[in-house]
Amino acid sequence: MSSPQSQMPQAAPTWQAAPGTSFPSGYTSPIPVVRTHLGNAIASEWTKIKSVRSTMWTLGVFVLLVIGIGTLTGVVVAESDPALDGESPLGLGFFGLLLGSMCIITLGVLTTASEYGTGMIRTTMVACPSRGRVLAAKGVVFFLVAFVVTLVSACLVAFLHVAMLEGDGAKSPTGGEWLKGTVGIAAYVALLGLLSLAVGSIIRHSAGAITIMIGAVLAPLVIALFMFSESLQGVRDALFEYSIPNQLSVFYSNSLSQSGPSGWDPLWIMLGATAVAFAAAFALLEKRDV
Amino acid sequence: MSRSSVAGMIELEGLTKRYGEKVAVNNLSFTVRPGIVTGFLGPNGAGKSTTMRMILGLDHPTAGDVRIDGKHYHQLKDPLTYIGALLEAKAWHGGRSAYNHLLCLAQSNGIPRRRVGEVLETVGLTAVAKKKTKGFSMGMGQRLGIAAALLGDPRILMFDEPVNGLDPEGIHWIRTLMKSLAAQGRTVFVSSHLMSEMALTAEHLVVIGQGRLLADTSMADFIARNSRSYVRVRSPHRERLLDVLHQAGVVAVESGEGVLEVDGGKAEHVGELAAQHGLTLHELSPQQASLEEAFMRLTAESVEYHAHSGTSAAPPPPQQQQWGDGWKRG
């Protein structure tokens, strides 16, 4: 509040000539009006996911882990003397996919949570105010990408193992085993990623959501390890059997235990968990301010 | 064409937003009309960004209503062709190129791909279209944000503090752009905490403080009402000059150090009177109180964080708001 020396009004003559009371009839754009739908949001999310380097990194490392570890296991097993005692060679893909699933989890979380870190989420929601549509589009695009990449990697490793160990006493896998070891495992890993995507949307923080998801994969096994007490036997077995690594192994019919989930059970369990997480993510997305 | 059918209106009715105890926006009602630049003025923390977020459907109002052309934001099927908004600076993924950023926005609204190239040309970013936005300067970031706002060629444009952090050339560019957009018949709604900036661009003014509406007026009215003009006179014959002015029916007041202030008077008139009576003048200057002062007077009670000039009071916490802070609530 100093002396009145800044003579502002002198510098403001231009707009005074504009009409003050009668308003022009507004602007009409030559761009056609479109009733947008989920397809528009999916196209948008597809552009987003393929135009950032983190997608290439996470998927690149995933393929590297699955193929690399798969090849190494194949070589080691082929060298050892009584190679596979009548076992299906497909089971060897387990190790690569277990580690690789961390990449899928990361990409799933980043698909939603990273937008909160950058502020992009507000740009996204302004462009598409139907928040459910945004989440659905993200889910569809991510699931397809994750499923295709996992399927291709799992198939490659499966063919590799079968070829390497053919004459080594391994039994040749049945059609059902092929289906579970490729399509089944790819669907399971992609769903695990989709669960991470929903968790990312709920937590809205990349590092936090990734930590939670990796904890969900590892914690049950670690906790079970420390349950020595006889009275906790039941809990320990359940933690073992329903842990994500053990569910993964069910697809290769080499579960760590005899009871617990079998056949295609893990897929339905993961589908249920993902559905619940998505319901929560949808509800919170509608309720919260962006 | 009747007023109600005019496209490009933003209507707020009793809009209120509470965060727990704190009322960020308090019963705000006003209308933003097409064809002019409407300035949205208020001190830092007055609720400007929160209001804009509610207009865009990002925040849910606690009470009240805001409509765009009579519709709620979430009812718009291709919102970018209705309303383009510049939010905070760099609200995008730094690893994505400018082109891809705009492309994904265009796709979500079914806007033809060629528009991406067009708006990049408009804001002068064609040369860096394929570059990652991470390396963009503040000015380039603002230009990309404006490109996104223009993408759907919308009837309504909304800019939140668009000139913050820009160099003079960038500021001039944005001012010219806003005026030309309004001249095309579009609705331009721009927020600022600087009265001087608004005086140069806005034709209508909405002033808020602590979330409450303080003024909704044309800029011309605001200036006429709030900027006091007077003539400052200094003379060694102060007493005699006062008598002369009094006889001529001119009201003058002393403001210390031998200075007289003649309210609403003309400098010529005062000078002629002095000459007729042979009085020496050391100073005779027309003055106008700045709009900035008028704005500060208006919002004085509602400023959230005062900087105390006295030595007695402890300095307030450093609540200085950075550009875009309002958008980045944790």
Side-chain angles (χ1 to χ4, degrees), chain A residues 2 4 6 12 15 19 23 26-27 29-30 34 36 43-44 47-48 51 122-123 126-127 131 286-287 289-290, chain B residues 17 33 57-60 73 77-79 88 91 96 104 107 109 153 155 185-186 199 203 230 287 290 293 327:
Chain A
S2 59
S6 41
W15 41 261
F23 298 105
Y27 177 78
S29 169
V34 188
T36 57
S44 173
T47 300
K48 276 189 202 169
S51 64
R122 285 180 279 274
T123 310
V126 166
R131 299 180 183 181
E286 290 297 336
K287 190 171 152 277
D289 291 338
V290 179
Chain B
K17 180 71 180 178
R33 295 186 175 84
L58 293 173
D59 284 13
H60 303 296
Y73 194 84
K77 290 299 168 197
D78 50 345
E88 73 231 68
R96 202 171 279 134
C104 76
Q107 285 171 327
N109 276 248
D153 198 14
R155 285 189 290 255
R186 296 184 221 240
E203 200 179 319
Y230 61 95
Q287 302 280 333
S290 76
E293 280 186 300
W327 292 91

Side-chain angles (χ1 to χ4, degrees), chain B residues 232-254:
Chain B
R232 188 178 145 99
V233 190
R234 227 154 33 87
S235 166
H237 319 292
R238 192 160 51 98
E239 299 306 322
R240 282 185 58 203
L241 184 61
L242 264 173
D243 288 344
V244 166
L245 289 172
H246 186 71
Q247 276 164 21
V250 176
V251 181
V253 288
E254 288 184 72

Side-chain angles (χ1 to χ4, degrees), chain A residues 113-161:
Chain A
S114 83
E115 289 207 14
Y116 288 92
T118 57
M120 177 72 189
I121 190 68
R122 285 180 279 274
T123 310
T124 300
M125 292 305 186
V126 166
C128 181
S130 168
R131 299 180 183 181
R133 185 195 286 176
V134 172
L135 186 60
K138 282 184 183 295
V140 168
V141 169
F142 169 80
F143 183 82
L144 290 178
V145 169
F147 180 74
V148 169
V149 171
T150 313
L151 183 63
V152 170
S153 312
C155 285
L156 275 173
V157 165
F159 286 128
L160 193 73
H161 285 153

Side-chain angles (χ1 to χ4, degrees), chain A residues 176-249:
Chain A
E177 283 171 331
W178 270 108
L179 193 66
K180 278 171 73 182
T182 53
V183 176
I185 198 80
Y188 185 82
V189 170
L191 270 178
L192 179 62
L194 204 55
L195 175 66
S196 315
L197 182 144
V199 170
S201 175
I202 292 168
I203 304 294
R204 308 207 280 190
H205 188 277
S206 303
I210 292 171
T211 310
I212 286 173
M213 284 311 296
I214 289 180
V217 172
L218 297 179
L221 277 183
V222 177
I223 293 168
L225 277 179
F226 289 96
M227 290 188 169
F228 306 114
S229 162
E230 196 65 34
S231 56
L232 291 170
Q233 181 73 39
V235 184
R236 198 181 70 177
D237 287 350
L239 280 173
F240 250 136
E241 285 157 5
Y242 289 92
S243 70
I244 287 167
N246 191 53
Q247 290 194 35
L248 265 176
S249 70

Side-chain angles (χ1 to χ4, degrees), chain A residues 11-90:
Chain A
T14 39
W15 41 261
Q16 275 165 336
T21 44
S22 69
F23 298 105
S25 58
Y27 177 78
T28 312
S29 169
I31 292 185
V33 172
V34 188
R35 262 193 90 83
T36 57
H37 44 77
L38 182 63
N40 296 97
I42 287 177
S44 173
E45 291 301 330
W46 171 237
T47 300
K48 276 189 202 169
I49 205 167
K50 69 179 180 178
S51 64
V52 290
R53 201 167 277 180
S54 55
T55 307
M56 300 308 143
W57 271 110
T58 47
L59 292 180
V61 171
F62 172 79
V63 172
L64 214 67
L65 281 173
V66 174
I67 309 268
I69 293 178
T71 312
L72 278 177
T73 349
V75 169
V76 170
V77 171
E79 292 299 305
S80 64
D81 204 9
L84 283 172
D85 214 7
E87 293 270 327
S88 160
L90 295 183

Side-chain angles (χ1 to χ4, degrees), chain B residues 287-311:
Chain B
Q287 302 280 333
Q288 196 137 32
S290 76
L291 282 177
E292 207 70 55
E293 280 186 300
F295 169 54
M296 278 159 75
R297 264 203 311 279
L298 186 62
T299 58
E301 294 92 61
S302 65
V303 174
E304 204 169 347
Y305 309 109
H306 282 288
H308 295 283
S309 48
T311 46

